[in-house]
Amino acid sequence: MQATQFFEFLKGLADISMVGDKVHLPHVLFQPMAADDVASAVGKVAVGQPVNGIVEIGGPEQFRVDDLVRRRLASLKDPREVIADPNARYSGAKLSEKTLVPGNNARLGETRFETWLTQPAGQIPSAHPQPTGITAVGNEKESHKKAS
């Protein structure tokens, strides 16, 4: 399974992208997802029919890396300035415009960024990013039904 970056790692991505007193990130597309959606997708693949291949999973929305990190820092009241830098690296890697966007057959999670921000997990600043397979995204729709 390959997954895109998680929402939970956005602050950590800012932390490792500091140049001087500013956050420098590439202005490339990516499609991050909530960790809960990753867990749901892994569970569904694990109990489903064998796929004999790689399952890509990712978030339901595309963003620019610098834009979304800027929004996350603002939600945390973190005053650091985010700079869209064409020479910036992503966890040390040079990226093209669509390196972080999944393929057409990716399974997409359902949790949108704005929804995630309002959930308790979105209120907790994350430590350091753990890059996942730089390709991928997933389309597993997690049920939010309450048990009766």
Side-chain angles (χ1 to χ4, degrees):
M1 180 166 282
Q2 292 181 329
T4 57
Q5 185 63 273
F6 303 173
F7 294 143
E8 288 79 1
F9 298 146
L10 294 171
K11 181 189 177 299
L13 181 58
D15 294 344
I16 66 169
S17 300
M18 295 295 295
V19 176
D21 63 348
K22 294 180 172 61
V23 178
H24 285 248
L25 290 165
H27 188 68
V28 297
L29 293 171
F30 80 147
Q31 207 162 325
M33 64 191 302
D36 284 349
D37 286 352
V38 175
S40 177
V42 168
K44 288 177 183 178
V45 169
V47 300
Q49 294 295 318
V51 295
N52 273 343
I54 295 172
V55 175
E56 288 186 320
I57 60 171
E61 308 167 277
Q62 284 188 5
F63 301 94
R64 296 287 177 171
V65 172
D66 59 304
D67 291 337
L68 195 61
V69 169
R70 190 176 293 112
R71 288 171 61 185
R72 178 60 176 146
L73 293 181
S75 77
L76 296 169
K77 297 182 180 11
D78 184 325
R80 288 181 287 177
E81 184 179 353
V82 177
I83 305 295
D85 181 347
N87 298 313
R89 305 280 177 159
Y90 178 89
S91 290
K94 180 75 172 162
L95 303 179
S96 68
E97 174 72 5
K98 294 190 175 187
T99 302
L100 299 177
V101 177
N104 292 335
N105 294 323
R107 300 178 187 188
L108 303 180
E110 71 176 29
T111 306
R112 300 176 79 74
F113 180 69
E114 291 301 326
T115 302
W116 176 82
L117 276 179
T118 65
Q119 297 172 348
Q123 302 305 313
I124 301 168
S126 180
H128 299 287
Q130 301 298 317
T132 59
I134 279 187
T135 55
V137 187
N139 180 356
E140 289 303 339
K141 295 198 175 183
E142 181 181 330
S143 174
H144 293 291
K145 295 180 183 173
K146 295 186 179 184
S148 17

